[in-house]
Amino acid sequence: MHRFYVEDISESNKSVTIRGKDVNHIINVLRLKNGDEIVVGDGSSRDYYCTISSIDKDEEEVIAEIVDICDSNSELPADIYLFQGVPKGDKMELIIQKCIELGVHEIIPVFMERSVVRLDDKKKGKKIDRYQGIAESASKQSRRGIIPKINSYMDFNEAVKYASEISDYILVPYESAEGMNFSRCVIENIKKNVLESKDSSDNKKISVFIGPEGGFAQSEIDKLEEMDATILSLGHRILRTETAGITILSILSFMLDD
């Protein structure tokens, strides 16, 4: 069943109105018609199962009658924040797409000491807009209950401050960390605490820091350790920056998804 997102849907509503670029997709690409069934997410983990009742090409809107409402079952019981060292080229697009498929809650691009890429404010804005579009497409494809936010670019100190304000756990995959037994114990402990608290009103929040192509500077590792971040290994192999985030998201998704 095809999925779309509409913000600010009220459960008292009997119908949902879809506007914008999704209308063209519905009419000209999917060729849906009256009576076809769709799912509309409100972006905050509620799914509205609907039947299309009206397609207006002139007004560029689609109206769908709400048949049923339920909580999305596609979200993890913890909110994972990926602080990604800004990579070169189009690697960030791959990272965003795959990490959203794996359940990330928010992605924050971070300029670190060894980041090669530098952008002016105009280019930053254009990049974030493009990244958010990729996030929406990946959310639809993977049937997410939310559209994860792609935050504004931050420098390392801003990222550290943000992580310290939101996080229950801060994880830092790093090649000089302790062995895999330590990593397994860390993940098992997080799993236990997350699943024990999953019925509470607030999800546990896990922040993950990934270095850029050149890795973390020692001063950055020292700063993260001062925050009581957990430095852990992902194995004996050195992973590329675009692989490391996907790897830790895969591990957390597998361990936490119930």
Side-chain angles (χ1 to χ4, degrees), residues 102-205:
L102 291 166
V104 76
H105 183 79
E106 184 176 314
I107 298 176
I108 305 94
V110 183
F111 287 109
M112 299 185 184
E113 185 175 324
R114 294 177 180 170
S115 295
V116 175
V117 176
R118 299 296 170 189
L119 302 170
D120 59 30
D121 290 342
K122 184 177 180 180
K123 287 183 179 179
K124 287 178 184 177
K126 288 183 177 179
K127 288 277 190 182
I128 294 300
D129 288 345
R130 175 168 173 75
Y131 293 159
Q132 195 62 58
I134 292 170
E136 181 173 344
S137 295
S139 297
K140 289 177 180 176
Q141 183 275 322
S142 55
R143 300 185 180 180
R144 293 288 302 271
I146 67 168
I147 301 175
K149 178 182 179 182
I150 310 302
N151 211 320
S152 301
Y153 285 90
M154 297 184 184
D155 64 33
F156 183 73
N157 288 331
E158 290 172 330
V160 166
K161 182 176 184 296
Y162 182 44
S164 68
E165 293 169 348
I166 63 172
S167 306
D168 295 294
Y169 307 95
I170 300 176
L171 304 180
V172 185
Y174 186 53
E175 61 266 24
S176 299
E178 293 189 48
M180 289 300 290
N181 284 338
F182 174 74
S183 297
R184 292 187 184 97
C185 288
V186 169
I187 300 298
E188 285 287 353
N189 183 59
I190 291 174
K191 173 186 175 182
K192 178 176 180 291
N193 291 336
V194 166
L195 296 185
E196 284 179 352
S197 64
K198 71 175 183 176
D199 294 326
S200 66
S201 58
D202 292 323
N203 284 349
K204 294 288 187 184
K205 293 176 172 52

